[in-house]
Amino acid sequence: MNLRPLHDRVIIKRLDNETKTASGIVIPETAAEKPDQGEILAVGTGKKDESGKVIPLDVKVGDRVLFGKYAGQTVKVDGNELLVMREEDIMAVVQK
């Protein structure tokens, strides 16, 4: 991937949601909600404070994260739909 996010931004690929319920009902793609989990593909260098010192990000490439349903900006790169968002829009890191 040829994207390098700036400052405190990250690039996220949404993880696929289950298309079948626990009882076996198949959910059509048009009725399915957008997933609110994703994997971080790239991170920026960090945000600058008032004195100009760079504060590094708490997340890293490969982290699985939770974010708001409408968080970030959707972009298409090489046919893949990706999200660009600020680190502050990430709600949690999913521990494995």
Side-chain angles (χ1 to χ4, degrees):
M1 177 176 51
N2 293 327
L3 285 179
R4 182 179 56 90
L6 299 176
H7 309 294
D8 64 335
R9 289 183 175 82
V10 296
I11 307 289
I12 297 176
K13 181 177 181 184
R14 286 186 193 265
L15 297 177
D16 294 330
N17 261 359
E18 289 291 322
T19 57
K20 191 185 268 189
T21 65
S23 61
I25 299 172
V26 176
I27 302 170
E29 191 171 312
T30 55
E33 292 185 11
K34 289 185 176 181
D36 55 1
Q37 289 188 35
E39 180 182 353
I40 296 182
L41 300 179
V43 297
T45 55
K47 189 175 186 175
K48 291 185 180 181
D49 64 9
E50 294 172 3
S51 65
K53 181 182 173 190
V54 176
I55 302 168
L57 301 179
D58 290 331
V59 294
K60 61 186 181 308
V61 173
D63 281 351
R64 186 174 182 168
V65 295
L66 295 176
F67 48 85
K69 191 179 295 188
Y70 302 107
Q73 178 67 40
T74 304
V75 294
K76 280 205 171 202
V77 178
D78 298 332
N80 296 320
E81 191 172 288
L82 304 173
L83 285 171
V84 179
M85 69 177 65
R86 293 187 180 273
E87 183 189 35
E88 65 191 28
D89 294 333
I90 297 172
M91 295 186 282
V93 175
V94 178
Q95 299 293 326
K96 296 178 183 177

